[in-house]
Amino acid sequence: MMTVNEVSKLTGVSIRTLQYYDRIGLLKPTEYTGAGYRLYDDAGLEKLQQILLFKALEFPLKDIAAIVNSENFDKSKALEQQIELLTLKKEHIENLITLARGLKARGVRRLNFTAFDTKKLDEYSKRAKEQWGKTSQYKEFVDKSKNWTKDDEKTLMENLMQIFVRFGQLRDLDPASKEVQEQVKSYQNYITENMYTCTDEILLGLGKWLGGGGEVAENVDKECGEGTAEFAYQAIRIYCEK
């Protein structure tokens, strides 16, 4: 077993980041000591390697969590696809380096943007995510969203943000109060009706994203008032623990 401090020194991942991964359910410690310290075994370190490879490929943390925590996750297949993606990324970077060196040597004589084309990389990444995300919720989401337009996506996100606006308006109340708990239910129902079946377990996971800080929480607090994300998380936690 390794302590969180030892894992941090070994991997270069900060202790704060490892603590954050624990809070959002991305990488849970193997166990905790009696004093509450995090401990990681070899399986935990192997999972961290997978997470870091996906991060190097610029996958959002929410996508990484869905992939590595999927019951259908195939580590061997994932490595093959990661190698392919990293190779494509390396090729893309080398093309950019060649372009930059050419511009330095010759100046801008002919406008050439082919080195910036990431279609091949983007397409492979999309196909890989589809293979990694074969959960029932993912399939349901793909089915519901297959005919969405950009306007549909925009409307979905605007309506979702309005749910958090309401949380912001309620944040002076007790998160266990009936009105706040009804708002949590509205949030769960909205996800189920428009995206995928939102079980209490999934809802709690979404709540942890809100309560874990990061970009999602910052955006919610910016639009709905400071502390809204944490308040929504506390309300969701109470709702799911009933």
Side-chain angles (χ1 to χ4, degrees):
M1 290 284 189
M2 297 183 68
T3 66
V4 68
N5 186 53
E6 290 171 333
V7 172
S8 178
K9 289 180 179 178
L10 175 67
T11 64
V13 179
S14 71
I15 293 175
R16 178 174 295 183
T17 296
L18 291 169
Q19 292 170 339
Y20 177 62
Y21 288 173
D22 181 10
R23 287 201 306 273
I24 65 176
L26 177 59
L27 178 67
K28 304 294 291 184
T30 308
E31 61 182 63
Y32 298 87
T33 67
Y37 294 109
R38 296 168 173 83
L39 295 175
Y40 300 83
D41 62 6
D42 289 345
L45 293 176
E46 184 179 341
K47 186 174 182 180
L48 180 58
Q49 283 183 327
Q50 287 287 347
I51 292 168
L52 295 178
L53 278 171
F54 283 121
K55 277 197 69 181
L57 290 165
E58 300 177 10
F59 278 52
L61 287 181
K62 61 182 179 63
D63 288 349
I64 298 174
I67 292 167
V68 299
N69 293 326
S70 169
E71 59 185 15
N72 298 310
F73 180 58
D74 184 332
K75 289 183 288 187
S76 178
K77 181 66 174 178
L79 277 171
E80 291 177 9
Q81 294 173 320
Q82 286 167 335
I83 291 169
E84 179 66 21
L85 280 167
L86 288 166
T87 301
L88 290 171
K89 188 173 183 179
K90 175 175 175 284
E91 179 183 317
H92 174 62
I93 292 173
E94 287 176 342
N95 288 338
L96 290 174
I97 292 172
T98 299
L99 173 65
R101 284 175 173 164
L103 291 173
K104 181 179 180 181
R106 299 184 302 273
V108 183
R109 296 182 181 177
R110 182 169 61 89
L111 296 178
N112 183 349
F113 293 90
T114 57
F116 297 98
D117 188 354
T118 61
K119 289 190 184 71
K120 188 176 180 181
L121 176 59
D122 294 342
E123 178 61 26
Y124 189 91
S125 178
K126 178 183 177 182
R127 286 190 283 109
K129 286 182 183 180
E130 288 173 353
Q131 290 183 11
W132 288 324
K134 289 181 179 177
T135 62
S136 59
Q137 289 80 16
Y138 183 87
K139 293 175 182 177
E140 187 178 357
F141 176 72
V142 169
D143 184 60
K144 286 186 176 181
S145 63
K146 62 184 177 183
N147 295 319
W148 283 0
T149 65
K150 291 293 184 182
D151 286 340
D152 291 331
E153 293 178 5
K154 181 179 179 183
T155 299
L156 179 81
M157 296 312 297
E158 287 176 348
N159 290 340
L160 191 59
M161 187 57 71
Q162 285 304 309
I163 291 174
F164 290 113
V165 167
R166 183 58 181 157
F167 273 118
Q169 295 169 345
L170 298 172
R171 68 184 185 277
D172 289 334
L173 299 178
D174 184 336
S177 67
K178 180 180 178 181
E179 190 171 0
V180 177
Q181 289 297 293
E182 287 178 348
Q183 184 62 16
V184 174
K185 184 62 177 176
S186 295
Y187 175 43
Q188 184 179 37
N189 288 343
Y190 186 80
I191 297 295
T192 296
E193 291 166 7
N194 294 278
M195 301 174 74
Y196 47 79
T197 302
C198 186
T199 63
D200 286 356
E201 182 181 4
I202 291 174
L203 180 64
L204 183 59
L206 294 172
K208 288 179 178 179
W209 282 104
L210 290 166
E215 186 177 352
V216 174
E218 289 174 2
N219 288 338
V220 169
D221 284 355
K222 181 179 179 181
E223 295 294 327
C224 309
E226 189 68 30
T228 298
E230 176 63 25
F231 175 77
Y233 165 56
Q234 294 302 329
I236 291 169
R237 181 181 57 78
I238 292 168
Y239 178 90
C240 293
E241 290 176 354
K242 286 183 180 179

